Amino acid sequence: MLLRYRFRLYPTGPQRAALARSFGCARVVYNDAVAARKRAHADGKPYPTTAALSKALITEAKRTPERAWLAEVSAVVLQQALADADRAWQNFFDSLSGQRAGPRMSPPRFKRRSNTQSIRFTRNARFRVLGSGKLRVPKIGDVKVAWSRELPSEPTSVTVVKTATGKYYASFVVALDGEATLPPVEDETGIDLGLKDFAVLSGGKVIENPRFFRRLERKLTKAQRVLSRKQRGSANREKARARVARVHEQIRHRRDDWINQQVATIVAENQGIYVEDLSVRGLARGRGAKSIHDAALGMFTDRLASKAARAGRTFAKVDRYFPSTQLCAACGVLAGPKGREGLRVREWVCRCGAVHDRDLNAAVNILEEGRRMVAAGQAETVNASGGQVRPGTPGIARNTRPAGRNEEPTRTLTTVS
Ligand SMILES: [Zn+2]
């Protein structure tokens, strides 16, 4: 299993200048590769191979006055830029031929200076974490890293990223075997995802919606409104655009940190974790823009699934049609609040005399149903690589995990921050 670890970097002035050169060179090679293949296509010629492109766009280009500066940066960075262009084409072709799931993709586009920039160093580029804690980056120097946690083993590659807001990150890929990394525990939990509260656990714990969701949402709306009023191409518009990007980044960081904390606690404390399928929630809420809260719910269950898998825990989603809210957890009769009005009922009394908090009762039902499904082999459980396994066909990985922030999608990566 491959994991991605991301840390903030603090390059010095000269290092930033060297990075800018490397970003620029990688972008040029990438764009040249995209252009070369577009040209071949337009001329009705076969697609040039990566080896041919490497020779023409790197080795030979370095000898021309227009591209001589390519020699100033690490050759690995340029090769990796070619590999990225290759993968972008491959993804495009796979999506055309139906081999790749999801919507049709457009052919690779040219990269621009104003977007997120990145360069990747593989192990043969001889990047190194020094005893001092600095990261030695070829042709850049020894860069200061803010280590927020330890790398579990030697990384196989590092991507240096500069965001649209001007921050630098190192994103390490580390290979791990899929063994359980947490000691086994006794408890299991069912989780009801809420509107009023973020989540209610069957043990009675309530995870409240953090206040910063609403606060940052207001901030974003305001920044976007300001941006929409600025004239195209004006300096003020550029400033407003940067502000929107900053708020987005703030939301991403706070939300990710918060979700990671909640997920880590739940996985540490529970051997079995069962949640309801979220597609039902979407229906209950109706259409409209996705709030931070809604987006966070999906992220929360995704990360629970992958973290549970890494820790060797059982994780399953309960069928979307399972009536978790209406079932009485005490007697098993369908007696609870129904439909849209049911969303407003906080507490209800069953015919059997049991008094229920609606969400807690639902969480207990989700726990029981999740256990039943897993025992019966009906659950969509998660395998060690974090991919989903279809019920009844154990061992066949289906979905792939999304890649980390600011990264192009990579099939087997899980983000750890
Ligand atoms: Zn009852």
Side-chain angles (χ1 to χ4, degrees):
M1 173 173 44
L2 297 175
L3 294 177
R4 199 183 275 285
Y5 289 79
R6 218 170 90 119
F7 305 97
R8 184 90 185 262
L9 286 181
Y10 294 94
T12 62
Q15 288 171 349
R16 285 200 297 271
L19 279 169
R21 266 198 303 280
S22 290
F23 290 140
C25 290
R27 196 174 57 236
V28 163
V29 167
Y30 181 95
N31 287 344
D32 284 351
V34 170
R37 290 200 160 143
K38 277 190 192 225
R39 220 165 29 241
H41 180 70
D43 297 348
K45 288 189 188 142
Y47 271 80
T49 62
T50 310
L53 288 180
S54 170
K55 191 162 169 249
L57 303 180
I58 300 177
T59 319
E60 282 166 7
K62 279 179 187 173
R63 297 193 199 113
T64 67
E66 299 83 41
R67 293 279 189 266
W69 34 266
L70 288 177
E72 290 170 25
V73 309
S74 162
V76 170
V77 161
L78 305 180
Q79 292 297 344
Q80 291 297 312
L82 261 193
D84 286 346
D86 242 4
R87 192 168 58 194
W89 280 112
Q90 199 53 53
N91 288 345
F92 167 58
F93 291 132
D94 286 353
S95 108
L96 277 187
S97 67
Q99 279 188 52
R100 188 187 162 90
R104 278 282 175 84
M105 293 178 70
S106 49
R109 271 184 280 249
F110 294 117
K111 289 197 174 179
R112 292 158 173 274
R113 193 193 305 259
S114 54
N115 296 341
T116 296
Q117 311 219 52
S118 65
I119 44 173
R120 188 167 59 249
F121 297 90
T122 52
R123 210 176 250 167
N124 60 10
R126 287 195 285 278
F127 72 89
R128 205 147 70 84
V129 178
L130 304 173
S132 64
K134 287 189 172 174
L135 173 66
R136 176 157 293 169
V137 189
K139 304 250 184 177
I140 307 293
D142 298 347
V143 184
K144 196 177 144 198
V145 186
W147 298 101
S148 47
R149 59 186 292 164
E150 246 175 81
L151 291 175
S153 65
E154 199 70 21
T156 55
S157 77
V158 63
T159 304
V160 177
V161 179
K162 184 189 181 196
T163 67
T165 55
K167 289 181 182 146
Y168 294 83
Y169 292 91
S171 179
F172 295 93
V173 171
V174 177
L176 273 191
D177 39 16
E179 284 169 27
T181 51
L182 285 176
V185 290
E186 291 286 312
D187 285 342
E188 296 200 311
T189 190
I191 304 175
D192 179 66
L193 297 167
L195 296 171
K196 179 176 157 280
D197 300 309
F198 187 81
V200 175
L201 277 60
S202 55
K205 186 174 159 185
V206 175
I207 301 173
E208 288 180 357
N209 267 311
R211 279 162 193 231
F212 69 84
F213 278 10
R214 293 298 296 277
R215 196 165 44 75
L216 289 178
E217 213 157 58
R218 279 197 298 269
K219 210 166 152 181
L220 180 62
T221 312
K222 206 175 136 195
Q224 281 167 334
R225 206 165 44 224
V226 171
L227 173 62
S228 71
R229 290 203 205 101
K230 301 290 180 222
Q231 198 148 36
R232 269 184 170 276
S234 70
N236 278 335
R237 186 182 169 88
E238 197 42 44
K239 253 192 241 163
R241 191 202 56 78
R243 164 125 188 102
V244 169
R246 265 203 312 280
V247 180
H248 271 300
E249 186 177 73
Q250 223 177 345
I251 290 173
R252 212 160 50 230
H253 287 176
R254 300 270 330 248
R255 184 195 56 202
D256 284 6
D257 287 349
W258 185 82
I259 289 176
N260 287 343
Q261 269 171 29
Q262 308 305 324
V263 165
T265 311
I266 292 170
V267 171
E269 292 174 351
N270 295 284
Q271 189 65 30
I273 298 155
Y274 311 99
V275 296
E276 60 186 317
D277 198 315
L278 273 175
S279 31
V280 157
R281 284 285 162 209
L283 297 176
R285 275 176 167 261
R287 296 188 155 273
K290 246 195 178 180
S291 64
I292 300 180
H293 172 264
D294 288 353
L297 282 177
M299 230 171 271
F300 174 74
T301 49
D302 283 354
R303 289 203 193 153
L304 258 183
S306 65
K307 192 153 180 90
R310 290 204 303 277
R313 306 301 205 213
T314 302
F315 174 91
K317 281 185 186 170
V318 165
D319 191 278
R320 50 186 291 194
Y321 297 112
F322 176 69
S324 60
T325 318
Q326 293 144 42
L327 216 54
C328 168
C331 72
V333 160
L334 272 173
K338 293 185 179 62
R340 278 181 177 276
E341 299 84 66
L343 288 174
R344 283 195 293 271
V345 178
R346 309 295 323 157
E347 216 178 65
W348 59 282
V349 183
C350 179
R351 276 173 281 170
C352 73
V355 181
H356 293 302
D357 171 274
R358 190 201 59 200
D359 298 339
L360 182 56
N361 176 65
V364 173
N365 284 328
I366 289 166
L367 170 64
E368 293 308 325
E369 175 66 4
R371 282 175 168 161
R372 188 196 64 74
M373 286 174 79
V374 168
Q378 296 168 339
E380 255 202 19
T381 47
V382 171
N383 65 17
S385 68
Q388 301 219 316
V389 177
R390 224 183 204 163
T393 53
I396 300 172
R398 284 184 13 95
N399 275 337
T400 45
R401 309 271 331 126
R405 330 162 186 154
N406 296 320
E407 296 299 335
E408 56 286 349
T410 314
R411 286 177 186 240
T412 47
L413 292 180
T414 308
T415 301
V416 178
S417 33

